[in-house]
Amino acid sequence: MGKGMPYSDVEKGPERGQEKRRHRSRPPPPQICPPPEKPWFPWLVPVIFSANLIMFIITMYINDCPSQENHPRCILPFLKSLQKLGALEKNLVVDDGEGWRLLSCMWLHAGVIHLVVNMLSLLFIGIRLEQEFGFIRIGPLYVLSGLAGSLASTNHGKESSVSVGASGALFGLLGAMLSELFTNWTIYTKKCIALLILVSVIAVNLALGFLPKVDSSAHVGGFLAGFFFGFVLLVRPQFGYVSRKYIPSSYNGKLKSRHKWYQYVLGITATIILVLGYTYAFGKLYGVPPMKNLP
């Protein structure tokens, strides 16, 4: 009797052994390893680049500046060529009903330097965005931001001013990059550094827009439109989200929702602001003149 096992060991020993065997026989939880996202092939941005280049060549061909004896005199014919091809002018848009100029002006440029600066910016910003989000999102973002820039230019610019260039659309891409950083905050690692670099680039470009003979209204209008479109078009799933098609049926763990609550709030708010903004801009451009101007 003196050699027997203690009471506590006799009572608990077999239960502990069974529990250990159950833990050993329990299979490990399944691992969720979704495949990495494949980048989109950027074909739309090169097409936009080519279209701008072709339109500039057509403008130079119509203007026929090299055949002029005195090249400085080509400035006025060049302006007329831009007007013929679709430059933005408020009188032609409102009085003559040529609303298509709100879109055509973003494919024209007023000189080689103007073209080179805009196209370098397009390639630097646009290709990266198209690789991440695809042409389905970047195409409408580019065109609608350019439209917003044209509306801002006609509503706040001079009556007789002629405006061309893709700056409004390009500033829209910059604005969308900023809002994309905010709404997809959880997936970025070096958030503050990315924000500082992006804000610095935007500030420098906006400051250059206030130089003489530069249409700053188009820059600001395109930037604001792109900023709000980013909350709608460039939303990505939150960090840790896994699509159900990559989750095994035996997995019983907790799953994250596709988006954060604030992403929905920002998207809905931005949509309302965009609808109101475009409605106001078109209404101001084509609306009834004030009573004091009526006969």
Side-chain angles (χ1 to χ4, degrees), residues 35-75:
E37 293 185 4
K38 295 181 179 180
W40 291 74
F41 177 75
W43 63 268
L44 180 61
V45 170
V47 168
I48 295 174
F49 173 86
S50 301
N52 280 272
L53 183 60
I54 291 173
M55 289 305 300
F56 184 75
I57 294 174
I58 293 175
T59 305
M60 296 298 295
Y61 176 78
I62 294 176
N63 194 56
D64 197 20
C65 265
S67 66
Q68 304 289 338
E69 295 181 359
N70 194 356
H71 285 199
R73 294 183 179 178
C74 288
I75 296 177

Side-chain angles (χ1 to χ4, degrees), residues 14 34 57 74 77 94 125 146 170 173 201 227 249 255-256 269 288 293:
I57 294 174
C74 288
V94 178
I125 302 171
L170 295 175
L173 298 182
V201 172
F227 178 76
S249 58
L255 300 176
K256 286 189 175 183
T269 305
V288 179
N293 294 333

Side-chain angles (χ1 to χ4, degrees), residues 18-196:
Q18 292 176 3
E19 186 177 353
K20 289 181 180 179
R21 284 193 295 272
R22 283 197 299 269
H23 281 293
R24 292 194 194 100
S25 59
R26 184 180 299 172
Q31 299 293 325
I32 303 177
C33 298
E37 293 185 4
K38 295 181 179 180
W40 291 74
F41 177 75
W43 63 268
L44 180 61
V45 170
V47 168
I48 295 174
F49 173 86
S50 301
N52 280 272
L53 183 60
I54 291 173
M55 289 305 300
F56 184 75
I57 294 174
I58 293 175
T59 305
M60 296 298 295
Y61 176 78
I62 294 176
N63 194 56
D64 197 20
C65 265
S67 66
Q68 304 289 338
E69 295 181 359
N70 194 356
H71 285 199
R73 294 183 179 178
C74 288
I75 296 177
L76 185 58
F78 188 71
L79 184 61
K80 291 182 178 179
S81 299
L82 291 173
Q83 289 176 321
K84 184 185 299 184
L85 291 173
L88 183 62
E89 190 173 354
K90 185 174 182 178
N91 295 332
L92 296 177
V93 172
V94 178
D95 299 335
D96 296 347
E98 298 180 358
W100 52 272
R101 292 179 179 272
L102 294 170
L103 293 174
S104 62
C105 65
M106 71 178 70
W107 308 96
L108 303 172
H109 290 83
V112 176
I113 297 178
H114 189 200
L115 176 70
V116 170
V117 171
N118 277 353
M119 292 303 99
L120 288 178
S121 301
L122 173 66
L123 295 176
F124 180 75
I125 302 171
I127 288 182
R128 178 248 176 192
L129 285 175
E130 188 178 358
Q131 285 178 332
E132 292 191 13
F133 298 99
F135 68 94
I136 298 177
R137 301 183 185 187
I138 300 305
L141 172 63
Y142 182 87
V143 174
L144 292 175
S145 297
L147 175 62
S150 298
L151 289 171
S153 177
T154 51
N155 282 320
H156 300 285
K158 297 179 180 180
E159 291 288 335
S160 59
S161 63
V162 177
S163 179
V164 293
S167 299
L170 295 175
F171 270 90
L173 298 182
L174 280 176
M177 289 179 66
L178 182 60
S179 57
E180 186 269 331
L181 177 61
F182 289 147
T183 193
N184 301 324
W185 190 257
T186 59
I187 67 174
Y188 285 94
T189 54
K190 299 179 180 179
K191 302 177 176 63
C192 294
I193 295 177
L195 179 60
L196 180 62

